[in-house]
Amino acid sequence: MLSLTIDARMAKASGIGRVIRSLLPALTPPQFDTCLITSSSSRLPGFRHIISSAPIYSLREQFDLPWKIPRCDLIWSPHYNIPLGPIAAKKRIVTIHDACHLAFNSSLSWSERLYAHFLMKRAVAQSDLVITDSYFSQHELAYWLGYPKEAFEVVYPGVDLSWFETKQLTCSFKVPERFFLCVGNRKPHKNLQWIADLYTRYPP
């Protein structure tokens, strides 16, 4: 049985949290002995937990996480904020979903921009495997971080096909028979205004 530790502090969030919640059902015994690092408010049933109160993307997490990670075969960090110090895990995997904090950093302070760039560089250097969501993200990360694109393994996120059954959508969410579906949050870099303008210009 593979012993696995996951930094699941973002498990209740959208985006990355959705990825974590969707993968966890497949990471159970007898194939995996999974332990979650969570905050007190993001505990998930059915798993062993280690509680960390350190804020995500903070300097404090770099002092808190390394000594809390148990001895295990593998640790997975679902975002680039990996623990930089020595850890008890034999191997590290990190998922860097995109280069948003590098390419669209106008909303970040100079210290946040510096920290994001430094931490992403270290995440690539210190991890045994770096996963990203698409070939576009692979290209962007290679460009902004100065690594060859081969440093990033593209693994597309899974799809829960039940969410795309038209009958379920129309019954559960009361949408019309003809509609345009965009899955994601409303952050500016998602470019939803462009989608709305396109839909208005070319209605179904």
Side-chain angles (χ1 to χ4, degrees), residues 35-146:
C35 177
L36 305 182
I37 300 173
T38 63
S39 64
S40 57
S41 62
S42 63
R43 294 172 63 94
L44 297 170
F47 294 91
R48 292 184 293 113
H49 293 79
I50 296 173
I51 303 299
S52 173
S53 58
I56 294 170
Y57 308 127
S58 69
L59 190 60
R60 182 179 159 193
E61 68 183 351
Q62 294 302 332
F63 294 94
D64 189 53
L65 293 185
W67 70 272
K68 286 189 174 180
I69 294 170
R71 188 174 301 277
C72 59
D73 295 312
L74 176 68
I75 181 171
W76 173 45
S77 298
H79 202 15
Y80 65 79
N81 54 326
I82 68 164
L84 298 175
I87 57 176
K90 296 177 183 178
K91 298 285 186 179
R92 301 173 183 246
I93 292 178
V94 63
T95 300
I96 306 179
H97 296 272
D98 53 48
C100 178
H101 286 179
L102 304 176
F104 299 98
N105 59 17
S106 58
S107 62
L108 304 178
S109 67
W110 69 268
S111 59
E112 289 172 329
R113 292 196 294 269
L114 184 66
Y115 186 66
H117 188 271
F118 169 75
L119 208 54
M120 283 195 197
K121 292 272 287 189
R122 295 312 308 163
V124 178
Q126 292 184 212
S127 298
D128 297 281
L129 177 65
V130 183
I131 296 171
T132 192
D133 292 349
S134 67
Y135 287 101
F136 175 78
S137 291
Q138 181 193 53
H139 178 272
E140 287 286 283
L141 289 168
Y143 172 78
W144 287 101
L145 296 176

Side-chain angles (χ1 to χ4, degrees), residues 12-41:
K12 296 295 180 69
S14 62
I16 293 172
R18 177 68 179 172
V19 172
I20 296 171
R21 295 192 305 273
S22 297
L23 286 175
L24 283 179
L27 302 176
T28 55
Q31 289 84 9
F32 297 94
D33 174 22
T34 300
C35 177
L36 305 182
I37 300 173
T38 63
S39 64
S40 57
S41 62

